[in-house]
Amino acid sequence: MITKDEIIEIGKFQKTHALKGELNALLDVDEDYAADGNPLIVEMDGIFVPFYAESVRPKGSESCLVKLKDVDSQELAQQFVNKNIYALRSELVNYYDVPEDEIVADFVGFKIVDRHIGEVGTVADIDDTTANVLFVVNRPDGSTVLIPVADEFIESIDTDAKLIHTSLPDGLIEM
């Protein structure tokens, strides 16, 4: 069973399109994410249910048309109208080389543990006002450090334990 902690919102179904079950969707991720067979999760009667796209095609500059497998009529598609679309965090992190801002923002509260220095601290905020997205990390001693969100520093992410394992360059923490 999929829990709220495992998912992140990536878009919304807006309305049905035509008669064969297509839905107009706004996605915060590249439409290839759905087209590549990753699940689109929708809350149905209080349960998060994965659905898979049969086809995805662009519609204008901001939306796309999604045809879900086994949703073959306008009546069946109607149940998805105005529903939020979610994805598994683990799938998004694995799918994108660098986590997208929407994904990164969900790491607030995660503990950062570095290979060389041990516990760095807890992610308190995300600073996306600069060219590089930064974790704002509260250190155990009460100080704050900024850590770039970059593949070369992040070794792994354990969403269940809320841990980010890093290998930070010498001197970064002291800056």
Side-chain angles (χ1 to χ4, degrees):
M1 187 160 141
I2 300 170
T3 65
K4 185 78 171 164
D5 291 341
E6 297 174 287
I7 59 175
I8 186 166
E9 186 177 326
I10 62 165
K12 186 171 192 164
F13 288 119
Q14 293 184 303
K15 59 185 177 179
T16 61
H17 177 80
L19 302 174
K20 297 196 179 188
E22 279 188 308
L23 290 149
N24 189 354
L26 288 176
L27 294 175
D28 296 331
V29 296
D30 190 87
E31 65 191 52
D32 287 343
Y33 176 81
D36 288 346
N38 292 296
L40 300 175
I41 299 167
V42 179
E43 186 174 1
M44 307 294 273
D45 298 323
I47 299 171
F48 294 103
V49 180
F51 294 91
Y52 295 88
E54 188 174 291
S55 66
V56 180
R57 58 189 174 109
K59 181 183 183 226
S61 62
E62 296 184 14
S63 66
C64 60
L65 295 175
V66 177
K67 166 68 176 71
L68 297 173
K69 290 181 182 174
D70 300 322
V71 177
D72 298 321
S73 69
Q74 186 176 15
E75 293 76 28
L76 287 173
Q78 187 63 42
Q79 67 184 325
F80 294 92
V81 172
N82 292 322
K83 295 259 186 184
N84 292 329
I85 304 167
Y86 300 91
L88 292 169
R89 282 191 187 105
S90 58
E91 292 293 328
L92 286 174
V93 171
N94 291 332
Y95 188 80
Y96 291 103
D97 288 338
V98 176
E100 296 292 304
D101 290 350
E102 307 88 50
I103 303 167
V104 173
D106 226 40
F107 290 127
V108 171
F110 277 54
K111 198 168 275 196
I112 295 182
V113 179
D114 187 71
R115 160 188 300 255
H116 309 291
I117 62 171
E119 183 179 335
V120 175
T122 303
V123 178
D125 198 6
I126 305 298
D127 181 351
D128 60 0
T129 61
T130 62
N132 297 316
V133 178
L134 303 167
F135 286 129
V136 178
V137 180
N138 289 339
R139 304 266 296 139
D141 65 6
S143 65
T144 301
V145 66
L146 300 175
I147 298 175
V149 178
D151 275 347
E152 61 263 25
F153 300 150
I154 299 173
E155 291 185 337
S156 66
I157 299 172
D158 183 341
T159 55
D160 292 333
K162 293 192 173 200
L163 290 174
I164 301 171
H165 297 278
T166 61
S167 181
L168 300 173
D170 289 338
L172 181 74
I173 300 299
E174 291 77 31
M175 294 176 85

